């Protein structure tokens, strides 16, 4: 039923829990898993002088590169361990806005399921209205099914 499962992973235990769910589903469906981490954009105050903004931009670019390198290493290690069970697992590390990148990668990879952690409990209609902004934005923008794993229980 599923051939390509996307797992957005923030480097947390909740992300590990979502990945475990995806692995179980991938085994049942002989599916590929794409694990995605998004290093978020960091705003730079526009009120700074050009030279200060340039210096901050250079520093942020170095920090972002280091964060991407470290997360790639962590996700590759997880993928190698989980890949021993015969599941094809790719890792993707990008920078941007998480909701935009999750939507973009899910379309580019032709994902037919997204398995991701959520932070808030869903109880009734009020719970849906309080759903985390990233989860809600993704639900509103993708056409494939989404499995939300409770990040508070992980």
């Amino acid at each position: 039923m599923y051939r390509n499962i996307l797992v957005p992973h923030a480097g947390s235990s909740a992300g590990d829990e979502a990945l475990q769910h995806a692995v179980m589903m991938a085994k049942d469906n002989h599916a590929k898993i794409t694990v995605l981490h998004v290093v978020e954009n960091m705003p730079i105050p526009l009120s700074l002088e050009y030279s200060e903004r340039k210096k901050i931009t250079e520093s942020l670019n170095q920090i972002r590169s280091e964060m991407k390198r470290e997360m790639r290493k962590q996700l590759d290690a997880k993928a190698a361990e989980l890949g021993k069970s015969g599941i094809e697992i790719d890792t993707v590390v990008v920078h941007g806005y998480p909701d935009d990148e999750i939507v973009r990668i899910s379309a580019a990879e032709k994902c037919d399921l997204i398995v991701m952690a959520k932070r808030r409990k869903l109880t009734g209609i009020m719970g849906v209205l309080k759903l985390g902004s990233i989860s809600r934005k993704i639900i509103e923008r993708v056409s494939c099914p989404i499995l939300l794993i409770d990040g508070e229980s992980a």
Side-chain angles (χ1 to χ4, degrees):
M1 182 172 197
Y2 301 116
R3 296 289 167 236
N4 197 353
I5 301 171
L6 177 63
V7 181
H9 196 301
S12 64
S13 60
D16 289 342
E17 183 74 18
L19 184 55
Q20 289 300 323
H21 280 269
V23 166
M24 288 186 293
M25 297 182 88
K27 285 180 182 177
D28 291 343
N29 291 280
H30 306 288
K32 171 188 157 195
I33 295 175
T34 301
V35 184
L36 170 66
H37 178 80
V38 181
V39 175
E40 292 189 53
N41 283 330
M42 297 174 226
I44 300 170
L46 295 174
S47 60
L48 298 175
E49 291 182 19
Y50 175 77
S51 61
E52 291 173 324
R53 284 182 45 214
K54 184 177 179 185
K55 195 182 301 184
I56 290 172
T57 299
E58 289 171 359
S59 294
L60 287 176
N61 285 340
Q62 285 181 315
I63 292 167
R64 183 176 25 246
S65 293
E66 181 58 33
M67 290 172 72
K68 286 172 69 175
R69 200 171 17 260
E70 180 60 32
M71 188 51 70
R72 163 86 57 200
K73 191 166 77 172
Q74 289 179 28
L75 292 181
D76 284 347
K78 288 179 193 298
E81 183 64 32
L82 294 170
K84 291 177 182 176
S85 62
I87 298 170
E88 180 184 352
I89 301 177
D90 291 335
T91 59
V92 177
V93 179
V94 297
H95 80 273
Y97 296 104
D99 55 317
D100 291 339
E101 293 303 319
I102 292 167
V103 169
R104 183 181 69 79
I105 297 294
S106 71
E109 296 290 323
K110 296 180 174 62
C111 294
D112 46 18
L113 176 67
I114 298 174
V115 179
M116 60 186 283
K118 66 177 182 66
R119 294 187 190 136
R120 296 188 180 141
K121 296 245 184 238
L122 291 176
T123 55
I125 191 67
M126 290 310 291
V128 173
L129 295 174
K130 293 178 185 175
L131 185 61
S133 62
I134 293 175
S135 299
R136 190 185 69 251
K137 288 176 184 177
I138 294 165
I139 288 169
E140 293 170 352
R141 295 171 60 193
V142 299
S143 58
C144 67
I146 301 171
L147 174 60
L148 293 176
I149 305 302
D150 186 358
E152 291 180 1
S153 67

